[in-house]
């Protein structure tokens, strides 16, 4: 059976497992701040999210960070929702099929990008973090 293509699309649970593995590989000092971030895998972003971001095609959004970047948090922040990383399964699978990038690599890239937003990192910083987490 080895070498055969999968007979079904990876589930939300599979993508969540890949994302949690990617989160676990992110090095310190970032790791300490990720303990409270909630990871959510959904089929697509909801209409409200897409509208807020000015995105018409739901396949154009693979992931999204909701919350305040670490540098903008305050000791007075309490009672609010926890920071969340949303991953959108169908757009991820679409990109996986279109690019041929291994699913584990693609999910890790998206997770690192969203974590980068959590920390307010630049694109260059995110690429360095991705290399470190690889």
């Amino acid at each position: 059976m080895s070498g055969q293509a999968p007979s079904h699309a990876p589930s939300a649970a599979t993508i969540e497992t890949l994302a949690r593995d990617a989160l676990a590989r992110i090095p310190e000092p970032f790791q300490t701040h990720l303990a409270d971030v909630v990871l959510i895998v959904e089929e697509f972003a909801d209409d409200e999210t897409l509208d807020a971001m000015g995105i018409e095609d739901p396949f154009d959004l693979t992931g999204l960070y909701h919350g305040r970047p670490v540098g903008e948090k305050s000791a007075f922040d309490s009672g609010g929702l926890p920071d969340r990383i949303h991953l959108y399964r169908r757009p991820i699978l679409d990109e996986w099929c279109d690019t041929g990038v291994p699913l584990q690599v693609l999910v890790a890239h998206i997770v690192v990008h969203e974590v980068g937003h959590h920390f307010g990192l630049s694109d260059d910083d995110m690429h360095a973090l991705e290399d470190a987490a690889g």
Side-chain angles (χ1 to χ4, degrees):
M1 282 280 217
S2 128
Q4 274 190 313
S7 60
H8 61 279
S11 68
T14 298
I15 290 173
E16 181 177 346
T17 297
L18 293 173
R20 290 196 184 285
D21 289 348
L23 275 173
R25 289 192 307 272
I26 293 175
E28 291 294 353
F30 305 103
Q31 193 58 240
T32 300
H33 299 282
L34 295 173
D36 296 330
V37 174
V38 176
L39 182 63
I40 301 165
V41 180
E42 300 168 293
E43 289 300 295
F44 289 102
D46 59 31
D47 289 340
E48 182 180 340
T49 299
L50 294 169
D51 290 347
M53 299 200 58
I55 296 174
E56 290 184 25
D57 184 349
F59 281 97
D60 288 343
L61 187 62
T62 56
L64 185 64
Y65 167 80
H66 281 282
R68 291 177 64 190
V70 169
E72 296 177 16
K73 290 186 187 261
S74 151
F76 299 106
D77 292 342
S78 66
L81 290 172
D83 290 346
R84 302 169 317 279
I85 294 174
H86 290 258
L87 297 177
Y88 303 113
R89 179 179 167 272
R90 295 284 306 280
I92 290 170
L93 296 180
D94 197 53
E95 185 171 332
W96 174 52
C97 290
D98 286 350
T99 64
V101 171
L103 186 60
Q104 178 178 358
V105 172
L106 178 60
V107 170
H109 171 78
I110 295 165
V111 166
V112 168
H113 188 82
E114 299 313 325
V115 165
H117 288 302
H118 178 62
F119 289 99
L121 300 178
S122 70
D123 283 339
D124 286 343
D125 290 337
M126 284 188 227
H127 289 298
L129 181 59
E130 192 169 2
D131 290 344

